[in-house]
Amino acid sequence: QVQLVESGGGLVQAGGSLRLSCEASGRTAGNLAMGWYRQAQGKEREFVARIRWSGGSTDYADSVKGRFAISRHRTKDTVYLQMNSLKPEDTAVYYCNFVRVGPVDYWGRGTQVTVSS
């Protein structure tokens, strides 16, 4: 099993910034990628960003390109999401995702991000 602990959510005004962190523990060997998804109230969970663990290549949802940046600390099994120029529509619960060889997905419990207008 893999355990994921997210931190860094909160309340921020539009145009502000937040940095989310997610630390993985447990059976982290065979890590293929880590990333972030979000789910706004009344909507389905959607992809935000992903970083591949071995090469560090990244993918972003069109809605966050140029504003969000994902990075990783390989030895700490930690992924970060720097969120800049936040908009009210970024308000959601943000979930950390860990993909291990299989592939097998693991999810964090989520952290709330609220952007006020």
Side-chain angles (χ1 to χ4, degrees):
Q1 290 294 325
V2 174
Q3 294 77 44
L4 302 172
V5 178
E6 300 122 329
S7 61
L11 173 64
V12 65
Q13 289 188 331
S17 299
L18 283 174
R19 189 190 192 211
L20 304 183
S21 300
C22 174
E23 181 176 2
S25 61
R27 294 184 60 190
T28 59
N31 184 352
L32 293 178
M34 290 185 71
W36 294 92
Y37 288 68
R38 66 187 182 187
Q39 187 168 17
Q41 194 168 10
K43 296 187 178 181
E44 294 190 354
R45 189 174 298 189
E46 64 175 5
F47 168 76
V48 176
R50 175 191 303 116
I51 186 164
R52 292 170 184 78
W53 216 244
S54 62
S57 61
T58 58
D59 299 303
Y60 294 93
D62 287 343
S63 59
V64 306
K65 280 181 182 177
R67 300 188 298 122
F68 290 11
I70 189 169
S71 60
R72 76 196 193 291
H73 193 303
R74 292 192 65 182
T75 59
K76 292 184 178 180
D77 287 322
T78 299
V79 66
Y80 307 96
L81 186 68
Q82 178 65 44
M83 305 186 294
N84 300 323
S85 301
L86 282 161
K87 305 175 182 180
E89 50 264 44
D90 294 318
T91 295
V93 178
Y94 284 70
Y95 295 92
C96 180
N97 172 250
F98 179 106
V99 182
R100 200 176 71 193
V101 171
V104 181
D105 278 88
Y106 297 89
W107 296 92
R109 300 181 69 174
T111 185
Q112 177 70 46
V113 171
T114 303
V115 184
S116 62
S117 57

